[in-house]
Amino acid sequence: MNDMFHNAPETGKPFKLSRRGFIGASLGALVLGVNLPARRAIAQAAETIAPGRRVSAFIEIRPDSTVLFRSAFIEGGQGVFTAMAQIVGEELDVDPADFTVEGAPPGPDYLLVGGGRFTGGSMSVRMSYDAMRQLGASARMMLLQAAASQLDVPVDELSTEPGRVVHAATGQSVPYGDLADAAADLPVPEDVALRDSADFRWIGKPVERLDAHDKSTGKAQYTIDLTLDGMLHAAVQHSPRLGGEPDELQNESEVSEMSGVHSIHRLPGAVAVVASSWWRARMAVEALQVTWSEPAPGPAHAMPAGFSTEAHMAHLKGTTGDGIDFEAEGDAEAALAGAAKVVEATYDAPYLAHGQLEPPSALARWNDDGTLELWVPNQAPEMFQADAAKVAGIEPGKVIIHSPILGGFFGRHFLYQSANPFPQAILLAKAVGRPVKLIWSREEEFLRDTLRPMSVARFRAGLDDDGLPVALHAVAAGEGPGGRWFGGEPDKVDSTAVEGIAGKVYAIANRRVGHVHVDDPAIIGFWRSVGHSMNDFFYETFFDEMADAGQQDPYELRHRLLADSPRHRNLLEAVADLSGGWQRGPFEAGDGTRRARGVAMASPFGSEVATIAEVSIRQGEVVVHDVWVAIDPGSIVNPAIIEAQVNSAVALGLSSALFEEVVYVDGMPQARNYDGYPILTPDRMPRVHVRIIESGAPMGGIGEPGVPGVPPAVANAVSALTGRRVRSLPLSKLDLAEGGEA
């Protein structure tokens, strides 16, 4: 493993794979990483590089005509590596199955998200789709030009078949691998024709996942799997409250004598043990008896000793005023004043943990040349590189970031300074003079995880004499992660705090969405579908309250209010059709259980989603039998990946609706592992039915849009079944009697 980066290929040449690189490639995919550092250094020095244009930064064609592709986006189970192979392969004319894809290093070539780069926000494919098609087409043209020279024929007499250039007139063909060296010397063409979508062979098709085999056979390598020669292992014990520092280590001498222990270290807010194995490090660090100082007043987001989620929720519910306008149409106040009936309700949602399968980890090595190498789960290599440089006290160009595949992330592997282990790994590796791999235990992860913010929303709706809404007024209270991590402005609303309440397409003439900012004492972060994950629950469940108050069927009212939005109306009709026709209930199912259905719509991340859930009550608990999801992402790359993403989104959305809640008492989380933080178990997973609709609208996201509709659809079904309004999650807090009686 420590030989991964010794060799450097010839650089600046597209398709070029050096002999040493080829030898390495023939020995295994991991060794292909030898090509990266030199390219990285050049990429970082080239300030004028246009992102997504330099073929050599992304594509290497091997002698066997297979392709190594460096993805700007990190694979975390969402299928982006396969999608990239489909998009580039379509234009390059290489079967996606002949691609090897890996995460690209930091560099300007990969800044494809508005001049920046991160894997998140369901943006990877939709933000890079055009650029990646152009990239593949450019590479194909360079191969054609190289073949024209080699065969001494006009380039317009040539065509391609997967992996080769063909001269039909003479029957000659040349594999891409034989053309790579010559093509490498050609300039990247400025303009190339793209394939007509009617001729797509892989885009839009359920191409098999490239990562499925390795993940199914245990060959996939995550950061926690990596080893380096001479490596030591580390485990940490954090201060129970963020901001506390270690004072006395009462039994340091005793612990230092434990088997395998190399050394004991004090870190900012933590203590660490470095040992010969992670288990020995963990046993030792947990045996340390540490006296912690209380967080000093003043540091940002140091956790107060008296903080509790109960008190913070009460504070949010006690906020008054309409806050700052985010969205306004018509005159909501005047319409409310003149309404025949006014409906009011307040909703809340708790903190949530990420609960990703792979615990946080980092592997650090200081090299003799003064560079620092980091293998670290991350969603933003450039951000991690810059921050690591500050921690290490060296130039960013001396920090080499490796981005292994992620074992799930859901927003967890963003750059959260207090919630990432890599700064600790850097310090420990420096202190011991050897590579160090640090893994946080699940207990330390629950202690330092960033949280989906807690939030409250107050709604008022005005109905006319026919029970139809003429006004909707909503005020959300809390703090959004966007403002926390990207900076907020006092007179502007952080969109991540209101998305899902704002942006609704229902034809309500007078509406207003405002926000009251309340500092959140906890370290909040991005959670799958961000603000939509709770705000669509608020809005869509209040919608049903509004419908019931006006004696309207909630599905029919949605359908009526979408009369001028054919895309959304079609989607609503599609999910009803998928479910066999809308029926709210309660009704008796074939097995004799009493059931009901709920419906919800959401517009997250450029996609449109309609969801129906069917529930019953068994032994006082909500049972979700089926979830039907119609999703319109505009256009698609891989329907199988979309269906898988929707299934996983249903699981996560349902888990959050039924069980999940982070509780703080005395400034500390009460759950330190899954025994105290229940999540959805396989036996509670419903049947999921998916219909994908391509409306032709601009391409939307896929990773997150399936989440927001699930909690409100389930909550609305529970309300229909029990007659009880659900205004707070999780549903496990409700006391429901057998048979759906309240």
Side-chain angles (χ1 to χ4, degrees):
M1 189 69 186
N2 59 335
D3 291 332
M4 286 175 62
F5 301 100
H6 288 176
N7 301 330
E10 298 176 41
T11 56
K13 295 183 177 181
F15 317 120
K16 186 71 174 182
L17 184 66
S18 70
R19 173 176 168 75
R20 297 181 72 182
F22 168 62
I23 293 172
S26 68
L27 297 176
L30 275 179
V31 189
L32 281 173
V34 298
N35 299 316
L36 299 184
R39 292 183 180 275
R40 176 185 304 109
I42 289 175
Q44 290 164 348
E47 296 180 354
T48 59
I49 289 174
R53 288 287 297 145
R54 205 161 61 104
V55 172
S56 61
F58 292 85
I59 297 173
E60 287 186 8
I61 295 183
R62 295 159 161 166
D64 63 358
S65 299
T66 60
V67 174
L68 169 66
F69 182 77
R70 298 187 184 94
S71 170
F73 307 101
I74 310 303
E75 178 63 63
Q78 78 279 42
V80 69
F81 278 8
T82 303
M84 288 293 135
Q86 287 181 253
I87 298 166
V88 176
E90 187 69 68
E91 300 292 348
L92 177 59
D93 207 355
V94 173
D95 191 322
D98 290 329
F99 273 67
T100 298
V101 184
E102 61 184 25
D109 289 290
Y110 311 108
L111 306 181
L112 293 168
V113 181
R117 175 191 182 192
F118 64 92
T119 304
S122 299
M123 292 191 289
S124 300
V125 171
R126 59 181 169 132
M127 297 294 284
S128 66
Y129 180 74
D130 292 338
M132 292 299 97
R133 286 187 65 192
Q134 185 82 17
L135 187 81
S138 296
R140 176 176 175 271
M141 177 55 69
M142 294 163 74
L143 289 161
L144 285 167
Q145 292 170 343
S149 178
Q150 182 171 321
L151 299 175
D152 194 23
V153 299
V155 70
D156 58 6
E157 292 184 4
L158 297 173
S159 61
T160 60
E161 296 176 353
R164 63 178 53 241
V165 176
V166 176
H167 186 235
T170 61
Q172 298 178 86
S173 69
V174 187
Y176 280 1
D178 293 349
L179 297 167
D181 281 345
D185 293 327
L186 299 175
V188 177
E190 290 294 326
D191 297 305
V192 290
L194 300 180
R195 185 180 294 274
D196 192 302
S197 60
D199 299 326
F200 283 170
R201 299 148 298 169
W202 298 300
I203 292 178
K205 306 298 189 300
V207 171
E208 185 176 348
R209 290 277 295 262
L210 298 181
D211 53 347
H213 180 268
D214 283 355
K215 288 180 176 176
S216 301
T217 56
K219 294 180 180 177
Q221 293 279 300
Y222 302 86
T223 299
I224 60 174
D225 299 315
L226 303 178
T227 60
L228 296 173
D229 284 349
M231 184 183 82
L232 292 169
H233 300 260
V236 295
Q237 178 187 162
H238 289 103
S239 167
R241 283 187 284 273
L242 185 63
E245 296 294 340
D247 280 339
E248 183 183 359
L249 307 185
Q250 299 170 19
N251 59 342
E252 182 172 2
S253 297
E254 179 184 337
V255 171
S256 66
E257 297 300 320
M258 291 176 68
S259 178
V261 170
H262 176 279
S263 50
I264 298 172
H265 304 264
R266 294 169 182 264
L267 297 170
V271 293
V273 170
V274 176
S276 57
S277 75
W278 183 75
W279 185 251
R280 286 172 168 168
R282 179 182 178 182
M283 292 298 99
V285 81
E286 292 184 354
L288 273 175
Q289 298 171 10
V290 185
T291 302
W292 299 96
S293 68
E294 284 298 317
H301 298 294
M303 180 57 77
F307 174 73
S308 73
T309 45
E310 182 179 6
H312 187 56
M313 179 62 77
H315 179 49
L316 292 176
K317 288 185 173 179
T319 57
T320 58
D322 293 339
I324 301 173
D325 280 358
F326 182 79
E327 181 180 274
E329 185 75 25
D331 189 338
E333 287 295 347
L336 282 163
K341 188 174 186 178
V342 174
V343 187
E344 298 185 63
T346 298
Y347 290 79
D348 64 77
Y351 290 125
L352 296 181
H354 286 90
Q356 79 288 346
L357 185 61
E358 180 189 18
S361 61
L363 172 55
R365 176 173 69 187
W366 289 87
N367 297 317
D368 293 340
D369 61 0
T371 59
L372 169 68
E373 285 187 80
L374 279 177
W375 291 259
V376 56
N378 75 88
Q379 297 175 238
E382 286 76 14
M383 293 182 187
F384 275 65
Q385 183 188 45
D387 202 68
K390 293 178 183 176
V391 174
I394 59 178
E395 294 296 319
K398 290 188 175 181
V399 178
I400 301 167
I401 296 287
H402 307 288
S403 303
I405 58 174
L406 306 172
F409 54 112
F410 320 129
R412 176 60 182 90
H413 295 308
F414 194 68
L415 182 64
Y416 308 116
Q417 281 82 358
S418 63
N420 280 308
F422 74 86
Q424 298 168 339
I426 292 171
L427 297 176
L428 292 172
K430 186 78 169 181
V432 303
R434 292 167 62 176
V436 169
K437 181 167 68 176
L438 168 63
I439 302 175
W440 284 3
S441 67
R442 189 63 69 183
E443 287 76 12
E444 296 305 313
E445 162 65 348
F446 268 87
L447 185 62
R448 283 292 178 269
D449 186 14
T450 59
L451 306 176
R452 202 257 327 247
M454 178 185 288
S455 184
V456 165
R458 295 180 264 118
F459 288 89
R460 288 183 292 151
L463 308 181
D464 64 14
D465 291 333
D466 296 324
L468 298 175
V470 295
L472 191 144
H473 187 281
V475 179
E479 182 181 359
R484 171 70 68 91
W485 294 106
F486 293 116
E489 299 179 48
D491 58 345
K492 291 186 177 179
V493 177
D494 170 10
S495 63
T496 63
V498 295
E499 59 187 7
I501 300 176
K504 288 292 186 179
V505 295
Y506 302 118
I508 300 175
N510 304 284
R511 58 185 186 274
R512 188 258 183 192
V513 176
H515 181 249
V516 177
H517 177 91
V518 179
D519 280 337
D520 198 316
I523 303 300
I524 60 174
F526 301 95
W527 196 88
R528 193 174 181 180
S529 78
V530 198
H532 285 280
S533 66
M534 53 193 171
N535 290 331
D536 278 295
F537 160 69
F538 298 156
Y539 189 105
E540 291 290 318
T541 44
F542 181 71
F543 190 102
D544 272 33
E545 286 206 45
M546 185 174 65
D548 286 340
Q551 298 184 323
Q552 307 283 327
D553 177 86
Y555 173 88
E556 297 299 338
L557 182 59
R558 285 177 172 85
H559 194 262
R560 179 169 183 160
L561 297 181
L562 295 174
D564 295 328
S565 300
R567 182 186 183 192
H568 303 89
R569 199 176 207 195
N570 291 340
L571 195 66
L572 185 63
E573 292 171 350
V575 77
D577 179 68
L578 183 65
S579 67
W582 167 249
Q583 57 173 335
R584 191 184 192 195
F587 55 86
E588 184 174 308
D591 61 359
T593 57
R594 187 169 174 264
R595 301 185 183 184
R597 292 182 180 181
V599 61
M601 299 194 73
S603 304
F605 304 96
S607 290
E608 301 294 337
V609 185
T611 306
I612 290 176
E614 181 175 305
V615 310
S616 68
I617 306 296
R618 182 170 60 213
Q619 297 179 340
E621 293 187 330
V622 176
V623 177
V624 181
H625 299 274
D626 291 271
V627 175
W628 296 270
V629 179
I631 181 168
D632 175 6
S635 58
I636 69 172
V637 172
N638 188 322
I641 290 176
I642 294 174
E643 185 162 351
Q645 285 292 290
V646 171
N647 271 267
S648 74
V650 168
L652 202 63
L654 185 57
S655 185
S656 71
L658 295 182
F659 305 111
E660 297 187 35
E661 179 181 24
V662 172
V663 176
Y664 269 72
V665 175
D666 297 332
M668 295 178 285
Q670 297 305 285
R672 297 290 298 273
N673 210 322
Y674 292 113
D675 57 340
Y677 187 84
I679 60 174
L680 190 74
T681 52
D683 62 308
R684 302 292 295 270
M685 184 68 184
R687 294 179 291 269
V688 180
H689 317 265
V690 182
R691 179 173 294 178
I692 302 168
I693 296 173
E694 289 189 86
S695 64
M699 182 179 286
I702 287 301
E704 297 167 275
V707 174
V710 177
V714 171
N716 286 335
V718 171
S719 292
L721 184 61
T722 66
R724 294 178 56 177
R725 292 295 172 196
V726 177
R727 295 174 177 158
S728 180
L729 296 178
L731 288 163
S732 57
K733 295 188 299 186
L734 294 179
D735 182 15
L736 300 170
E738 185 73 19
E741 300 299 328

